[in-house]
C-alpha cells in the first residue's frame, strides 16, 4: 500500500513518530534541569502558604518584605556555599565568620574610632584572608575541607568572643549606627533602595502610610533593604559566572574531578582558594548588613548559618560531593527556607514545627534531585 | 631521515625505595602507532606520566623533534604537542560534552567589559570534531556520563587532536570496553594515525596491539625488553615477553594453551 507521492504509509508513520520523539526530548530538555526540584518545591511551598496563610498579611507588601528579607539573608550565604560546593569543598566556618566580621567592624568603629568605611574594608580584607587561608590549608594538607573548616568554626567563634570580651567586657557592641552616619559606603549595607518608588506606591494606595507619630504620611515600607539588593546581585553574578564564563567551567571541573582538571591545565588550586574567599566575602556582606541594620554586633551572631546555607544549596539541586549544582537552584532553596520559616509564623503554627517541616522538605528535595540528576548525567 | 617526533632515552624514575622505571627507551615517528605493552605494575603509566610532564625523570633524556627538553608541568608537555588520554581520567561524567571538550582552553567572546564562554562556537566545533571521529551526538550539552565508554575515549581523543597534538598517548583506552566499542576506538586510532599524528597506545591486550600497531615495545619490571616492527613478531612472542617468558609458557602448557 502506498500514498500518492509514492511513500509507503509505514514510512510516513515512521517520520511522524520520529518528529514526536524529538518534540518530547526538547520538552524534556527544557524541563529536566538541576533547578527542577527547587522550582517544584517553591511552587509547592507558595501554594501551601497561599492556602493556609493567604489572608494573614503574609502576601501583603509588608509581609512579602518580611519573608523576602529572611530569604535574602539565606541567599547571600547560599550563593557562596553553592559555588564552593560545586568546586568540591565545604565551608563550615561561615557562621563564625559572620560573628567575627561583625565584631571587627563594631570594634574598629566604636572602640578604635575608625570611619565606618575603613572598618568595613578591613573586615572584608581580614575575612577573605582567612577564607584564603582555609583554602590553602585544605589544599596543602589534602585533608577534607569539612574538617579544616570545622576547626575554624571553633577557632573563629572563640577568638571573636575573646576579643570582644577583653576589649569591651561585653559580647555585644552597640553604637555602630551613630558611628556610620553619613558614611560614604555604610549605606551600601544598611540603606534602603528605591525609596521614591515606595513613596509613589503609597500615594497610589498600594502601600500603607503611617497615620500618626513623627513619620505620619510616610510609607510604612521605606524601601527595599540593601540586603535584598546584595542577594539579587550576588545571585545574578554567581549564576553568570558559573554558567557563562571560562572560570565557571573551571569551578565545575575542579569539583567534578580535580585530577582530570589538573591534567588539562585547569588551575584547580586557584579556583578552590578563590571560592573559599568568596564564601568569606558573602559571610562578611551578611555580617555588615546585619551590623548596619541593628546598629550593633554580637559575638554569637551567625550561629548555624553554615548549615542553613548548605541546606539551601542542597535543596537547590547541588551534589554534596561537588561538580554539579546551580546558583539559581540555591537561591530558590533559600527562598523556600525563608518562606517556610516566616510562613509558619504568619500561619500561627507552633514554631518548633519549623524544624520538622525543614527536615521533611530537605529529604523530599534531595530524593527528587537525585532522581533528576541521574536522568541528566547518566550517573548510576 | 627526520628526527622522531619524540624520543625518550634511558628513562629512570624512583618513588622513594620503589624503582618504577629503570632504563626505558622509546621513540615515536609521525603517522605511526607505537604500542607499549606490559603487565600490571610494569611501569607503563609511570612512563607516560614522565613523557607528559606529570613526573620528572630521575635519569634519562627526552627529545622533541631532536631537541632535548625538560617538562616541569603537564602544561609544558601540552605546549610541545604531547597530549595524553589517561586511563579512567579522560572525562568528567557530570559535565557536558562541550564543557569537557574545552576544559582548560575555553573559547571566549567579549561582552562589554566581560569575557564570556563562547558556547555557540564551542558547541559547533565539538559537534564537527565528534562527527569526524564517526560519533553523532544527540546534543553537545549532553552529559559525558550518558555516553558509552568508547564514546568517552573518542571525545578525549577528538579533543587532543583538535588542540593540535603531534603525539597522542592513550593509556589503556580499550581496557574497560566491549568488543564493538573496542573496534570503534581502534578505528579512531587508525584515523588519527592517518592524519600524521604519532600515537603511543598502551595496552596489555596483545590482540588489540597487533590490530593497529606499527611498532611494539614491551615493558617488564621497569625495563624495556626491546622494540619490534610489525610483521617481525607474533602474538605468542609478545605475550611471552610481557610475562617475562618462561613461567607463563609453562602455565599455558598445563592449561592446554589457553592463556
Ligand atoms: N606515585 C607513586 N608512588 C609510589 N609508587 C608508585 C607511584 N606510581 C607508581 N608507583 C609504582 O610504580 C610501579 C609501576 O606502576 P604503573 O602504574 O606505572 O604500572 P602500569 O604498568 O601502568 O600498570 P597497570 O597495567 O596496572 O596500569 C608500581 O609498582 C607502582 O606501585
Ligand atoms: Mg597503568
Amino acid at each position: 500500500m502506498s500514498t500518492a507521492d509514492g511513500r509507503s504509509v509505514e514510512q510516513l508513520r515512521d517520520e511522524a513518530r520520529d518528529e514526536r520523539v524529538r518534540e518530547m526530548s526538547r520538552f524534556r530538555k527544557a524541563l529536566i534541569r538541576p533547578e527542577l526540584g527547587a522550582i517544584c518545591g517553591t511552587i509547592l511551598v507558595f501554594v501551601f502558604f497561599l492556602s493556609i496563610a493567604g489572608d494573614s498579611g503574609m502576601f501583603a507588601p509588608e509581609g512579602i518584605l518580611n519573608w523576602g528579607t529572611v530569604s535574602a539573608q539565606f541567599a547571600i550565604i547560599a550563593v557562596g556555599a553553592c559555588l564552593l560546593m560545586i568546586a568540591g569543598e565545604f565551608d563550615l566556618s561561615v557562621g563564625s565568620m559572620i560573628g567575627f566580621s561583625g565584631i571587627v567592624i563594631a570594634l574598629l568603629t566604636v572602640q578604635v574610632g575608625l570611619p565606618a568605611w575603613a572598618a568595613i574594608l578591613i573586615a572584608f580584607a581580614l575575612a577573605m584572608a582567612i577564607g584564603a587561608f582555609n583554602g590553602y590549608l585544605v589544599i596543602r594538607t589534602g585533608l577534607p575541607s569539612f574538617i579544616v573548616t570545622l576547626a575554624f568554626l571553633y577557632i573563629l567563634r572563640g577568638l571573636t568572643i575573646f576579643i570582644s570580651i577583653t576589649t569591651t567586657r561585653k559580647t555585644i557592641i552597640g553604637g555602630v549606627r551613630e558611628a556610620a552616619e553619613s558614611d560614604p559606603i555604610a549605606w551600601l549595607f544598611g540603606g534602603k533602595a528605591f525609596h521614591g518608588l515606595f513613596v509613589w506606591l503609597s500615594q497610589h494606595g498600594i502601600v500603607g502610610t503611617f497615620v500618626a507619630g513623627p513619620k505620619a504620611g510616610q510609607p510604612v515600607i521605606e524601601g527595599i533593604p540593601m540586603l535584598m539588593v546584595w542577594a539579587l546581585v550576588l545571585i545574578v553574578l554567581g549564576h553568570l559566572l558559573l554558567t557563562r564564563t571560562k572560570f565557571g567551567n573551571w569551578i565545575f571541573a575542579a569539583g567534578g574531578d580535580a585530577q582530570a582538571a589538573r591534567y588539562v591545565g585547569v588551575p584547580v588550586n586557584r579556583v578552590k582558594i578563590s571560592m573559599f574567599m568568596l564564601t568569606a566575602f558573602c559571610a562578611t556582606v551578611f555580617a555588615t548588613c546585619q551590623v548596619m541594620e541593628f546598629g550593633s554586633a554580637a559575638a554569637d551572631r551567625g550561629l548555624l548559618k553554615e548549615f542553613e546555607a548548605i541546606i539551601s544549596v542542597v535543596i537547590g539541586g547541588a551534589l554534596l560531593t561537588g561538580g554539579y549544582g546551580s546558583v539559581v537552584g540555591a537561591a530558590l532553596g533559600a527562598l523556600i527556607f525563608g518562606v517556610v520559616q516566616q510562613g509558619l509564623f504568619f500561619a500561627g503554627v507552633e514554631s518548633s514545627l519549623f524544624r520538622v517541616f525543614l527536615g521533611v522538605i530537605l529529604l523530599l528535595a534531595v530524593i527528587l534531585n537525585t532522581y533528576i540528576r541521574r536522568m541528566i548525567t547518566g550517573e548510576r | 631521515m627526520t628526527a622522531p617526533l619524540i624520543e625518550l632515552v634511558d628513562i629512570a624514575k624512583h618513588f622513594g625505595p620503589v624503582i618504577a622505571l629503570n632504563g626505558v627507551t622509546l621513540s615515536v615517528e609521525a603517522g605511526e602507532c607505537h604500542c607499549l605493552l606490559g603487565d600490571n605494575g610494569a611501569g607503563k603509566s609511570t612512563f607516560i606520566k614522565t613523557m607528559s610532564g606529570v613526573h620528572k625523570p630521575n635519569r634519562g633524556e627526552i627529545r622533541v623533534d631532536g631537541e632535548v627538553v625538560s617538562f616541569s608541568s603537564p602544561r609544558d608537555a601540552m605546549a610541545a604537542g604531547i597530549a595524553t588520554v589517561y586511563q579512567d581520567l579522560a572525562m568528567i561524567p557530570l559535565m557536558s560534552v562541550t564543557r569537557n571538550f574545552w576544559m582548560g582552553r575555553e573559547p571566549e567572546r567579549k561582552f562589554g567589559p566581560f569575557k564570556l564562554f563562547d558556547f555557540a562556537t564551542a558547541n559547533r566545533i565539538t559537534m564537527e570534531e565528534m562527527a569526524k571521529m564517526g560519533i553523532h551526538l544527540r546534543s553537545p550539552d549532553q552529559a559525558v556520563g550518558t555516553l558509552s565508554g568508547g564514546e568517552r575515549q573518542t571525545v578525549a581523543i577528538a579533543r587532543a587532536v583538535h588542540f593540535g597534538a603531534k603525539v597522542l598517548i592513550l593509556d589503556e583506552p580499550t581496557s574497560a570496553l566491549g568488543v564493538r566499542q573496542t573496534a570503534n576506538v581502534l578505528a579512531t586510532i587508525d584515523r588519527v594515525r592517518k592524519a600524521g599524528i604519532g600515537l603511543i597506545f598502551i595496552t596489555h591486550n596483545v590482540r588489540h596491539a597487533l590490530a593497529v600497531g606499527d611498532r611494539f615495545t614491551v615493558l617488564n619490571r621497569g625495563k624495556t625488553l626491546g622494540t619490534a616492527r610489525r610483521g617481525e613478531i607474533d602474538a605468542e612472542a609478545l605475550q611471552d615477553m610481557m610475562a617475562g617468558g618462561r613461567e607463563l609458557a609453562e602455565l599455558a602448557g598445563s592449561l592446554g594453551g589457553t592463556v
Side-chain angles (χ1 to χ4, degrees), chain B residues 159-171:
Chain B
R159 168 171 74 182
V161 170
H162 177 76
F163 289 112
K166 289 189 292 181
V167 178
L168 183 57
I169 305 165
L170 306 174
D171 191 4

Side-chain angles (χ1 to χ4, degrees), chain B residues 37-52:
Chain B
L37 294 112
D39 211 351
N40 293 115
K44 305 182 295 294
S45 298
T46 308
F47 181 61
I48 59 157
K49 280 182 182 155
T50 312
M51 198 182 317
S52 56

Side-chain angles (χ1 to χ4, degrees), chain A residues 15-207:
Chain A
E15 277 171 27
R17 191 181 296 136
D18 209 53
E19 252 171 48
R20 215 178 56 204
V21 169
R22 212 168 290 142
E23 230 168 80
M24 271 289 286
S25 70
R26 205 180 296 145
F27 173 71
R28 266 178 63 124
K29 215 178 112 180
L31 191 69
I32 308 238
R33 43 193 321 123
E35 305 88 17
L36 178 63
I39 293 172
C40 293
T42 309
I43 294 172
L44 212 76
V45 162
F46 272 95
V47 167
F48 179 74
F49 282 104
L50 273 169
S51 61
I52 71 158
D55 47 7
S56 65
M58 181 175 171
F59 295 96
E62 293 101 313
I64 295 176
L65 193 67
N66 173 292
W67 52 257
T69 307
V70 174
S71 301
Q73 290 181 346
F74 290 130
I76 286 174
I77 45 172
V79 170
C82 175
L83 291 174
L84 180 65
M85 198 187 288
I86 296 173
E89 306 293 343
F90 280 108
D91 189 348
L92 295 185
S93 68
V94 168
S96 302
M97 186 75 85
I98 290 172
F100 174 79
S101 299
I103 289 289
V104 167
I105 292 172
L107 273 181
L108 290 181
T109 47
V110 179
Q111 295 294 118
V112 181
L114 284 184
W117 61 266
I120 292 171
L121 288 184
I122 291 172
F124 270 100
L126 265 180
M128 287 169 76
I130 295 171
F133 185 60
N134 263 334
Y136 174 80
L137 276 184
V138 167
I139 281 155
R140 275 317 290 268
T141 60
L143 290 172
S145 50
F146 186 85
I147 298 300
V148 173
T149 58
L150 184 64
F152 272 87
L153 180 156
Y154 286 102
I155 294 172
L156 275 180
R157 183 68 73 192
L159 266 183
T160 306
I161 297 172
F162 174 78
I163 295 172
S164 169
I165 294 211
T166 47
T167 51
T168 66
R169 295 167 169 276
K170 291 177 294 191
T171 57
I172 301 181
I173 305 173
V176 183
R177 191 174 295 143
E178 296 69 30
E181 211 125 286
S182 73
D183 185 83
I185 68 167
W187 67 271
L188 269 176
F189 299 90
K192 301 270 196 285
F194 307 113
H195 178 65
L197 175 70
F198 283 90
V199 172
W200 184 85
L201 283 175
S202 69
Q203 283 158 359
H204 290 74
I206 300 169
V207 173

Side-chain angles (χ1 to χ4, degrees), chain B residues 4-9 11 50-53 55-82 166-167:
Chain B
L5 290 177
I6 188 169
E7 227 179 333
L8 292 100
V9 184
I11 300 291
T50 312
M51 198 182 317
S52 56
H55 296 321
K56 247 186 145 53
N58 296 83
R59 188 183 77 215
E61 212 171 75
I62 304 178
R63 288 197 282 263
V64 174
D65 291 329
E67 305 219 349
V68 176
V69 292
S70 162
F71 300 137
S72 51
S73 77
R75 266 208 147 149
D76 287 357
M78 269 158 45
I82 297 158
K166 289 189 292 181
V167 178

Side-chain angles (χ1 to χ4, degrees), chain B residues 133-192:
Chain B
M133 296 287 169
I135 290 190
H136 296 276
L137 293 174
R138 233 185 324 120
S139 136
D141 39 62
Q142 183 180 356
V144 161
T146 61
L147 300 178
S148 74
E151 287 169 333
R152 287 184 211 193
Q153 292 286 346
T154 308
V155 179
I157 294 170
R159 168 171 74 182
V161 170
H162 177 76
F163 289 112
K166 289 189 292 181
V167 178
L168 183 57
I169 305 165
L170 306 174
D171 191 4
E172 305 201 30
T174 55
S175 65
L177 302 184
V179 179
R180 189 203 293 241
Q181 294 195 18
T182 300
N184 285 340
V185 171
L186 295 182
T188 306
I189 290 177
D190 191 45
R191 237 183 234 131
V192 171

